[in-house]
Amino acid sequence: MMMNEPPATPASQEPIQGEYDVVVLGGALSGGATATLLMRRNPGIRVLVIERTERLTRRVGEATVEVSAYFMGRVLGLTKYLNEHHIVKQGLRFWFKNDDVKQLDEASELGALYQVRLPSYQLDRSTFDEEVLRRAAEAGAQVIRPAVIRNVELNDGGQQTVEFKYQGETRTVKARWVVDATGVAALLARKNGWWVRNTEHPTAAAWSRWKGLKDWDGLELSAKYPAWSKSVHSVRGTATNHIIGDGWWSWWIPLKGGDTSVGVVFDQRIVPWEEGGSVADRLKAFLMKHPVAAEILKDAEYDEEDVHWRRNLAYYSTTFSGDGFVLVGDAAAFMDPFYSPGMDWISFSTSSAANLITQQRNGGCMKTLVPKHNRDFSVCHRRWFDSVYKDKYHYMAEWDLMSLAFRLDLSLYYWGVVQPPFAEGASALYSPPYSPPSGKVFSALMSCYNRRFATIAKRRRRLGLLGRTNKGNRCLIPGFTLERKDMFRLFGLLKDWAVLELKEGWKSWGRKPTEKDDDPLSFFPPKGSAPSTDATVPSNASTVADPS
């Protein structure tokens, strides 16, 4: 147990019944939140939560963004708790480099100029998830732990059967509904053959928690780099900082109490991960090659018992619900940790799951509701991936391309995803992003510019032109609000995209992609060859503020 860590939610002392209305498999955030929402909307409902562990541990998914912060604060009612026990987040910040960048203040930067307008948080998931589970139990859900699920038998429209081992005995219960909140274990999807690896997105990750990192906003760095320190009016250290290289990015998330979560995610088609030695030592050696990471991480130490490694992160289920079961959170799909979408996915999937079950209990037609739920989440997942993540690792290390992509992504996120729950309330979370009917327009636009930026970066790679804007540039964003005038920034950004196409993008128009574009051996020019000089490079190398 960590210092000052609250006690784990104890197992219920109530006897286990033979039948429940809902059995929730997994007691972390997805399971605890779904149970809470069910108890709130269905007085008298019998909910059993089966959790595998005695105590929930730290896990990835530590950064919230605007929608997930809305869900946790205004829907689950955790705003006071979040402000008292976790860190208020100051947006996203990105750091770029090329071979000419030797120290922190030379790296091109992308991020906020001022403090953010809408709340979000950096979470220690071990304590946060326990609090969500505690509140679910307080609301009336029966929690048993530690218990191991042995089998789940589904019966469309009937009683589902759950077999588990608890206190040395094998038990069996029945329920009208089963909610799979087992996370990456994805119990129902794997058991029923619905689980599919996303081979279009072969990412891997290594991560740990660290102590002793330098303070981004402290006196040491401000004295060493005074102009760099003065260039931003926001707090850099409580943002999710992203230190980026070709085909990879790393997250730097501060946690309450002084630890920092640091991890690397990379596209295995682009970045070879060195074998041999401990994962944490390889992680540190990898990061120390980046001047920004080397400055911050130099004297830091990792927690040897909190080091993790995972290949092939992206997957999804081809089925999200049936008349008697529903998948939530990572049990349904996982795309990528970039931009922290997992917490938004939890917000939408748990809200929709509780709503689906509530509609059935109120006499709703499952022959209509279940196909709609499956369609909406299947379309959402595909469009979300195509719009934001497909081939993004090819261009995310290009300051100019990523600065434009990030502002476009952020503008459309505020317009299409953030604004509805703030305007309409929690019911807006019953419709996942990009789902029919309006999602098609947003997805088409985002997929188009995402694809074009990847194509431009691939051309630069072939010509040895990567990273030409990664030194000495700064894109500082004044901030986004939900005011309509801020949403109109999109049109200025679309104009910037058109200018990029006219200056450089047209050189790749009409070229058909080849397998060689994804061949790591083709990413580098032949030895001894001189790079081409026809990339679009700003004439200045000074601070570039967001003009919008």
Side-chain angles (χ1 to χ4, degrees):
M1 183 184 298
M2 293 178 291
M3 186 179 299
N4 300 322
E5 188 173 8
T9 304
S12 171
Q13 298 303 307
E14 301 174 45
I16 297 173
Q17 306 298 316
E19 187 173 319
Y20 292 86
D21 297 307
V22 182
V23 173
V24 180
L25 311 179
L29 172 57
S30 294
T34 305
T36 298
L37 296 176
L38 285 168
M39 300 301 299
R40 185 183 299 168
R41 295 189 61 190
N42 299 272
I45 191 173
R46 299 165 299 166
V47 176
L48 176 67
V49 180
I50 304 175
E51 169 50 37
R52 180 178 59 85
T53 66
E54 284 189 72
R55 167 176 289 280
L56 295 167
T57 59
R58 285 176 166 176
R59 61 190 65 209
V60 289
E62 295 152 312
T64 71
V65 285
E66 287 81 349
V67 169
S68 49
Y70 173 92
F71 174 71
M72 294 167 191
R74 300 199 181 191
V75 178
L76 297 183
L78 290 163
T79 299
K80 185 174 185 290
Y81 166 81
L82 287 164
N83 281 296
E84 290 177 350
H85 296 280
H86 299 275
I87 292 176
V88 175
K89 175 182 170 184
Q90 290 301 325
L92 309 177
R93 196 166 295 277
F94 306 84
W95 303 92
F96 303 81
K97 66 107 177 174
N98 57 26
D99 290 342
D100 295 327
V101 174
K102 305 300 181 185
Q103 59 187 38
L104 173 63
D105 63 338
E106 294 177 347
S108 288
E109 179 181 6
L110 165 63
L113 178 62
Y114 303 106
Q115 303 288 77
V116 297
R117 307 302 208 276
L118 298 183
S120 57
Y121 304 92
Q122 310 286 26
L123 306 177
D124 185 326
R125 290 289 301 276
S126 62
T127 58
F128 178 74
D129 288 28
E130 282 290 352
E131 178 66 14
V132 174
L133 182 58
R134 184 191 70 78
R135 294 191 182 208
E138 192 176 70
Q142 184 177 353
V143 177
I144 59 171
R145 67 190 310 184
V148 179
I149 299 161
R150 296 297 192 191
N151 191 36
V152 179
E153 292 296 332
L154 301 177
N155 178 16
D156 189 57
Q159 292 291 94
Q160 324 307 315
T161 303
V162 180
E163 181 183 297
F164 57 94
K165 188 173 183 179
Y166 178 58
Q167 295 181 336
E169 297 181 17
T170 298
R171 315 282 187 99
T172 300
V173 297
K174 292 185 180 294
R176 177 62 178 85
W177 284 91
V178 169
V179 176
D180 187 353
T182 57
V184 295
L187 191 150
L188 290 184
R190 293 178 191 269
K191 179 180 186 295
N192 292 283
W194 307 327
W195 189 92
V196 178
R197 175 176 292 125
N198 186 350
T199 56
E200 297 176 72
H201 198 57
T203 51
W207 68 95
S208 185
R209 277 84 190 180
W210 302 68
K211 291 183 182 295
L213 279 72
K214 288 186 181 179
D215 182 356
W216 294 87
D217 306 289
L219 294 177
E220 179 185 349
L221 294 183
S222 65
K224 190 174 181 179
Y225 309 113
W228 170 86
S229 178
K230 294 176 183 177
S231 64
V232 166
H233 307 313
S234 176
V235 175
R236 284 178 166 123
T238 55
T240 296
N241 280 280
H242 300 68
I243 295 177
I244 300 181
D246 184 20
W248 64 271
W249 65 279
S250 61
W251 73 75
W252 302 64
I253 299 174
L255 304 176
K256 196 83 167 184
D259 288 357
T260 300
S261 176
V262 178
V264 167
V265 186
F266 59 92
D267 189 321
Q268 297 174 92
R269 298 169 298 184
I270 304 174
V271 178
W273 183 254
E274 295 182 8
E275 301 296 334
S278 72
V279 171
D281 286 342
R282 282 181 282 161
L283 173 61
K284 185 170 186 178
F286 184 91
L287 288 170
M288 290 295 285
K289 297 175 184 177
H290 195 296
V292 177
E295 181 76 65
I296 303 297
L297 200 64
K298 181 180 178 182
D299 300 318
E301 296 181 353
Y302 59 83
D303 182 348
E304 294 182 358
E305 297 181 357
D306 191 9
V307 180
H308 308 272
W309 160 256
R310 188 178 300 156
R311 287 189 186 275
N312 303 317
L313 303 178
Y315 62 87
Y316 59 93
S317 175
T318 57
T319 298
F320 294 90
S321 67
D323 187 1
F325 69 90
V326 61
L327 282 56
V328 295
D330 290 350
F334 183 82
M335 281 175 280
D336 194 287
F338 195 68
Y339 288 166
S340 302
M343 302 295 264
D344 278 10
W345 178 258
I346 288 173
S347 304
F348 285 103
S349 62
T350 57
S351 298
S352 296
N355 187 54
L356 178 66
I357 294 171
T358 300
Q359 287 180 297
Q360 181 272 322
R361 290 173 56 81
N362 291 335
C365 178
M366 289 294 99
K367 290 184 179 180
T368 301
L369 294 172
V370 167
K372 180 180 184 301
H373 185 275
N374 279 309
R375 180 205 65 184
D376 285 355
F377 276 89
S378 179
V379 170
C380 163
H381 177 268
R382 183 69 236 184
R383 288 177 177 171
W384 199 335
F385 171 70
D386 286 342
S387 300
V388 181
Y389 297 108
K390 185 175 174 60
D391 285 342
K392 201 180 203 81
Y393 284 63
H394 284 283
Y395 73 83
M396 64 166 48
E398 294 292 276
W399 174 84
D400 60 334
L401 297 180
M402 190 61 206
S403 294
L404 180 53
F406 176 60
R407 287 177 291 154
L408 282 164
D409 291 344
L410 195 59
S411 179
L412 288 162
Y413 175 65
Y414 264 71
W415 194 343
V417 184
V418 179
Q419 193 271 343
F422 278 93
E424 302 165 21
S427 62
L429 299 175
Y430 303 158
S431 300
Y434 305 105
S435 59
S438 62
K440 186 175 183 178
V441 176
F442 285 96
S443 177
L445 173 60
M446 297 181 73
S447 299
C448 183
Y449 69 70
N450 182 62
R451 184 169 56 250
R452 286 298 306 143
F453 295 165
T455 300
I456 290 169
K458 289 177 182 179
R459 177 182 176 276
R460 292 181 183 181
R461 189 186 302 281
R462 290 194 305 273
L463 299 176
L465 298 172
L466 289 177
R468 296 290 293 274
T469 61
N470 288 3
K471 180 181 179 181
N473 286 298
R474 200 158 277 127
C475 178
L476 301 177
I477 304 171
F480 277 81
T481 72
L482 297 179
E483 298 294 328
R484 186 172 297 275
K485 63 181 177 60
D486 278 358
M487 297 181 184
F488 286 127
R489 293 186 191 185
L490 174 64
F491 300 104
L493 297 172
L494 293 175
K495 178 182 177 182
D496 292 344
W497 174 23
V499 171
L500 173 67
E501 292 288 354
L502 292 174
K503 286 185 175 180
E504 180 183 0
W506 66 271
K507 297 173 184 176
S508 60
W509 291 353
R511 182 183 183 276
K512 294 183 179 180
T514 66
E515 291 185 5
K516 191 176 180 181
D517 288 333
D518 291 327
D519 179 4
L521 296 179
S522 71
F523 293 164
F524 307 98
K527 290 183 178 180
S529 64
S532 173
T533 58
D534 63 348
T536 302
V537 183
S539 58
N540 67 316
S542 59
T543 300
V544 180
D546 180 6
S548 57

